[in-house]
Amino acid sequence: MIEVVRIPALSDNYIWLAHDDASGQTIVVDPAQAEPVLAAAAARGWTIDAIWNTHWHPDHTGGNAAIKDATGCTVIAPSAEAAKIPTADRLVAEGDVVKLGDHAASVLEVPAHTAGHIAYYLPDESIVFVGDTLFAMGCGRLFEGTAEQMFANMQRLAALPGDTTVYCAHEYTQSNGRYALVAEPDNEVLAERMAQVDMMRAQGLPTVPTTIELERATNPFMRAESVEQLAERRAAKDSFKG
């Protein structure tokens, strides 16, 4: 079994620390900062063996250098973004496999938020680390890619088993849900989910990870029926003030 620990960082980031007890190996996904990661690992007696980056943005790579200096870990990053992640030791692309102990993670190319964005999917643990591609009830902004790419990403992730746990990198659920209610006002499952999200956030509780099944039912971007509809929804969310 892999134990995954949520580490809040910056204003709304989540860094994921994943540990395989059988091998004793530990990886960190998208470290925005080093200090909270090193503290969380030390508190558990874990040694960080690798960093898995999903994309180059500083709020996902900002802790790379300090963690690498402190632990000697290997930084694994998308090959298409090598020039923007100078700390990378190993570059990976679609179809490559990275390991946490005996657990194999397949690299999935999911560009759109950034040109070389990747995800890490561990089928034997039903886990996917998606960075800023998929959020609870949302998707990443199209900074370096297209609606066509994001639509393909949503379809690809939706095809994963429904019980797959989705570890995204931000606490955007409440704001995403407010837009989702506008996009799909008759979605009763969505309305029920938002009531729960509002209650959780009022108590200061995190709302991620999520699951593929839950996103299929409530995420207006995963539920978009065409590229055009996804593009319309993404543009509307970009300017949404609710």
Side-chain angles (χ1 to χ4, degrees), residues 129-159:
F129 295 104
V130 294
D132 285 358
T133 292
L134 175 65
F135 295 119
M137 293 187 281
C139 73
R141 286 176 179 261
L142 307 179
F143 287 130
E144 298 178 5
T146 66
E148 287 82 1
Q149 289 174 318
M150 188 60 81
F151 182 75
N153 295 340
M154 293 297 102
Q155 296 297 300
R156 185 177 195 185
L157 293 170

Short mmCIF file of all heavy atoms in Angstrom, two decimals, residues 129-159:
data_model
loop_
_atom_site.label_atom_id
_atom_site.label_comp_id
_atom_site.label_asym_id
_atom_site.label_seq_id
_atom_site.Cartn_x
_atom_site.Cartn_y
_atom_site.Cartn_z
N PHE A 129 -1.82 11.26 -10.21
CA PHE A 129 -1.38 12.61 -9.85
C PHE A 129 -1.48 13.46 -11.10
O PHE A 129 -0.76 13.23 -12.07
CB PHE A 129 0.06 12.58 -9.33
CG PHE A 129 0.25 11.82 -8.04
CD1 PHE A 129 0.82 10.55 -8.04
CD2 PHE A 129 -0.16 12.37 -6.83
CE1 PHE A 129 1.00 9.84 -6.86
CE2 PHE A 129 0.01 11.66 -5.64
CZ PHE A 129 0.59 10.41 -5.64
N VAL A 130 -2.37 14.45 -11.09
CA VAL A 130 -2.73 15.16 -12.32
C VAL A 130 -2.24 16.60 -12.38
O VAL A 130 -2.50 17.29 -13.37
CB VAL A 130 -4.26 15.13 -12.53
CG1 VAL A 130 -4.75 13.72 -12.78
CG2 VAL A 130 -4.98 15.77 -11.34
N GLY A 131 -1.53 17.07 -11.35
CA GLY A 131 -1.04 18.44 -11.39
C GLY A 131 -2.17 19.44 -11.56
O GLY A 131 -3.13 19.46 -10.79
N ASP A 132 -2.08 20.27 -12.61
CA ASP A 132 -3.09 21.30 -12.88
C ASP A 132 -3.92 20.99 -14.11
O ASP A 132 -4.51 21.91 -14.71
CB ASP A 132 -2.41 22.66 -13.06
CG ASP A 132 -1.93 23.26 -11.75
OD1 ASP A 132 -2.15 22.66 -10.69
OD2 ASP A 132 -1.31 24.34 -11.81
N THR A 133 -3.99 19.73 -14.52
CA THR A 133 -4.83 19.38 -15.67
C THR A 133 -6.28 19.19 -15.25
O THR A 133 -7.19 19.79 -15.83
CB THR A 133 -4.30 18.12 -16.36
OG1 THR A 133 -3.05 18.42 -16.98
CG2 THR A 133 -5.27 17.62 -17.43
N LEU A 134 -6.50 18.38 -14.24
CA LEU A 134 -7.85 18.10 -13.75
C LEU A 134 -7.96 18.57 -12.30
O LEU A 134 -7.08 18.27 -11.49
CB LEU A 134 -8.14 16.59 -13.83
CG LEU A 134 -9.47 16.11 -13.25
CD1 LEU A 134 -10.64 16.67 -14.04
CD2 LEU A 134 -9.51 14.57 -13.26
N PHE A 135 -9.02 19.30 -12.00
CA PHE A 135 -9.32 19.70 -10.63
C PHE A 135 -10.67 19.14 -10.23
O PHE A 135 -11.45 18.69 -11.08
CB PHE A 135 -9.36 21.23 -10.50
CG PHE A 135 -8.04 21.89 -10.74
CD1 PHE A 135 -7.88 22.81 -11.77
CD2 PHE A 135 -6.95 21.63 -9.92
CE1 PHE A 135 -6.67 23.44 -11.99
CE2 PHE A 135 -5.73 22.25 -10.13
CZ PHE A 135 -5.59 23.16 -11.16
N ALA A 136 -10.97 19.20 -8.95
CA ALA A 136 -12.31 18.87 -8.50
C ALA A 136 -13.27 19.88 -9.12
O ALA A 136 -13.18 21.08 -8.85
CB ALA A 136 -12.38 18.92 -6.98
N MET A 137 -14.13 19.39 -10.00
CA MET A 137 -15.13 20.19 -10.72
C MET A 137 -14.50 21.23 -11.64
O MET A 137 -15.14 22.22 -12.00
CB MET A 137 -16.13 20.84 -9.75
CG MET A 137 -17.01 19.82 -9.06
SD MET A 137 -18.32 20.54 -8.05
CE MET A 137 -17.42 21.01 -6.57
N GLY A 138 -13.24 21.03 -12.04
CA GLY A 138 -12.60 22.00 -12.91
C GLY A 138 -11.49 21.40 -13.75
O GLY A 138 -11.21 20.20 -13.70
N CYS A 139 -10.85 22.26 -14.54
CA CYS A 139 -9.66 21.88 -15.30
C CYS A 139 -8.73 23.07 -15.33
O CYS A 139 -9.11 24.19 -14.97
CB CYS A 139 -10.01 21.43 -16.73
SG CYS A 139 -10.50 22.76 -17.86
N GLY A 140 -7.51 22.86 -15.73
CA GLY A 140 -6.53 23.94 -15.77
C GLY A 140 -6.82 24.95 -16.87
O GLY A 140 -7.44 24.63 -17.89
N ARG A 141 -6.38 26.16 -16.63
CA ARG A 141 -6.48 27.18 -17.68
C ARG A 141 -5.60 26.79 -18.87
O ARG A 141 -4.59 26.11 -18.72
CB ARG A 141 -6.02 28.54 -17.15
CG ARG A 141 -7.00 29.22 -16.21
CD ARG A 141 -6.42 30.51 -15.69
NE ARG A 141 -7.34 31.21 -14.80
CZ ARG A 141 -8.11 32.23 -15.17
NH1 ARG A 141 -8.09 32.66 -16.43
NH2 ARG A 141 -8.90 32.82 -14.31
N LEU A 142 -6.00 27.26 -20.04
CA LEU A 142 -5.29 26.89 -21.28
C LEU A 142 -4.17 27.90 -21.54
O LEU A 142 -4.23 28.67 -22.49
CB LEU A 142 -6.28 26.84 -22.44
CG LEU A 142 -7.52 25.95 -22.23
CD1 LEU A 142 -8.43 26.02 -23.45
CD2 LEU A 142 -7.11 24.52 -21.92
N PHE A 143 -3.14 27.86 -20.73
CA PHE A 143 -2.05 28.82 -20.86
C PHE A 143 -1.19 28.57 -22.09
O PHE A 143 -0.77 29.50 -22.76
CB PHE A 143 -1.17 28.81 -19.62
CG PHE A 143 -1.80 29.44 -18.41
CD1 PHE A 143 -1.81 28.77 -17.20
CD2 PHE A 143 -2.37 30.69 -18.48
CE1 PHE A 143 -2.37 29.36 -16.08
CE2 PHE A 143 -2.95 31.29 -17.35
CZ PHE A 143 -2.94 30.62 -16.15
N GLU A 144 -0.89 27.31 -22.37
CA GLU A 144 0.05 26.99 -23.46
C GLU A 144 -0.53 25.98 -24.46
O GLU A 144 0.20 25.49 -25.31
CB GLU A 144 1.35 26.43 -22.88
CG GLU A 144 2.10 27.40 -21.99
CD GLU A 144 3.37 26.82 -21.39
OE1 GLU A 144 3.74 25.67 -21.75
OE2 GLU A 144 3.98 27.49 -20.56
N GLY A 145 -1.80 25.68 -24.32
CA GLY A 145 -2.37 24.67 -25.20
C GLY A 145 -3.76 25.06 -25.66
O GLY A 145 -4.17 26.22 -25.58
N THR A 146 -4.49 24.08 -26.14
CA THR A 146 -5.76 24.33 -26.81
C THR A 146 -6.92 23.60 -26.14
O THR A 146 -6.73 22.65 -25.37
CB THR A 146 -5.69 23.85 -28.27
OG1 THR A 146 -5.54 22.41 -28.27
CG2 THR A 146 -4.51 24.49 -29.00
N ALA A 147 -8.11 24.04 -26.49
CA ALA A 147 -9.31 23.36 -26.01
C ALA A 147 -9.36 21.93 -26.54
O ALA A 147 -9.84 21.02 -25.85
CB ALA A 147 -10.55 24.13 -26.44
N GLU A 148 -8.87 21.73 -27.75
CA GLU A 148 -8.84 20.37 -28.32
C GLU A 148 -7.99 19.45 -27.44
O GLU A 148 -8.39 18.30 -27.16
CB GLU A 148 -8.27 20.40 -29.74
CG GLU A 148 -9.19 20.96 -30.79
CD GLU A 148 -9.18 22.49 -30.85
OE1 GLU A 148 -8.43 23.13 -30.08
OE2 GLU A 148 -9.95 23.05 -31.66
N GLN A 149 -6.85 19.95 -27.00
CA GLN A 149 -5.99 19.15 -26.14
C GLN A 149 -6.66 18.87 -24.79
O GLN A 149 -6.63 17.75 -24.30
CB GLN A 149 -4.66 19.87 -25.91
CG GLN A 149 -3.75 19.89 -27.12
CD GLN A 149 -2.52 20.74 -26.88
OE1 GLN A 149 -2.59 21.81 -26.29
NE2 GLN A 149 -1.36 20.26 -27.33
N MET A 150 -7.28 19.89 -24.21
CA MET A 150 -7.90 19.69 -22.90
C MET A 150 -9.10 18.76 -23.01
O MET A 150 -9.35 17.94 -22.11
CB MET A 150 -8.31 21.02 -22.28
CG MET A 150 -8.78 20.89 -20.84
SD MET A 150 -7.52 20.19 -19.70
CE MET A 150 -6.53 21.65 -19.36
N PHE A 151 -9.85 18.85 -24.08
CA PHE A 151 -10.98 17.93 -24.27
C PHE A 151 -10.47 16.49 -24.34
O PHE A 151 -11.04 15.59 -23.71
CB PHE A 151 -11.74 18.29 -25.55
CG PHE A 151 -12.94 17.42 -25.81
CD1 PHE A 151 -14.11 17.59 -25.07
CD2 PHE A 151 -12.91 16.42 -26.77
CE1 PHE A 151 -15.22 16.78 -25.29
CE2 PHE A 151 -14.01 15.63 -27.01
CZ PHE A 151 -15.17 15.80 -26.27
N ALA A 152 -9.39 16.29 -25.08
CA ALA A 152 -8.79 14.95 -25.17
C ALA A 152 -8.31 14.48 -23.79
O ALA A 152 -8.48 13.31 -23.43
CB ALA A 152 -7.64 14.94 -26.17
N ASN A 153 -7.73 15.40 -23.02
CA ASN A 153 -7.29 15.05 -21.67
C ASN A 153 -8.46 14.60 -20.80
O ASN A 153 -8.37 13.61 -20.06
CB ASN A 153 -6.63 16.25 -20.98
CG ASN A 153 -5.35 16.69 -21.63
OD1 ASN A 153 -4.72 15.94 -22.36
ND2 ASN A 153 -4.96 17.93 -21.38
N MET A 154 -9.55 15.36 -20.87
CA MET A 154 -10.73 15.03 -20.06
C MET A 154 -11.30 13.67 -20.44
O MET A 154 -11.67 12.87 -19.58
CB MET A 154 -11.80 16.12 -20.20
CG MET A 154 -11.43 17.47 -19.63
SD MET A 154 -11.13 17.51 -17.85
CE MET A 154 -9.33 17.53 -17.81
N GLN A 155 -11.34 13.40 -21.74
CA GLN A 155 -11.85 12.11 -22.20
C GLN A 155 -10.93 10.98 -21.74
O GLN A 155 -11.39 9.91 -21.32
CB GLN A 155 -11.97 12.11 -23.72
CG GLN A 155 -12.97 13.11 -24.27
CD GLN A 155 -14.39 12.84 -23.81
OE1 GLN A 155 -14.93 11.77 -24.08
NE2 GLN A 155 -14.98 13.77 -23.09
N ARG A 156 -9.65 11.23 -21.81
CA ARG A 156 -8.69 10.19 -21.41
C ARG A 156 -8.77 9.89 -19.93
O ARG A 156 -8.78 8.73 -19.51
CB ARG A 156 -7.28 10.65 -21.78
CG ARG A 156 -6.23 9.58 -21.52
CD ARG A 156 -4.85 10.02 -21.95
NE ARG A 156 -3.96 8.88 -22.01
CZ ARG A 156 -2.66 8.96 -22.26
NH1 ARG A 156 -2.11 10.13 -22.50
NH2 ARG A 156 -1.91 7.87 -22.29
N LEU A 157 -8.83 10.93 -19.11
CA LEU A 157 -8.90 10.72 -17.67
C LEU A 157 -10.25 10.12 -17.27
O LEU A 157 -10.33 9.29 -16.36
CB LEU A 157 -8.64 12.03 -16.93
CG LEU A 157 -7.21 12.56 -17.08
CD1 LEU A 157 -7.10 13.98 -16.53
CD2 LEU A 157 -6.21 11.63 -16.38
N ALA A 158 -11.31 10.52 -17.95
CA ALA A 158 -12.64 9.97 -17.67
C ALA A 158 -12.70 8.47 -17.93
O ALA A 158 -13.52 7.76 -17.34
CB ALA A 158 -13.70 10.68 -18.50
N ALA A 159 -11.82 7.99 -18.81
CA ALA A 159 -11.81 6.56 -19.16
C ALA A 159 -11.10 5.71 -18.10
O ALA A 159 -11.17 4.48 -18.16
CB ALA A 159 -11.14 6.37 -20.51
#
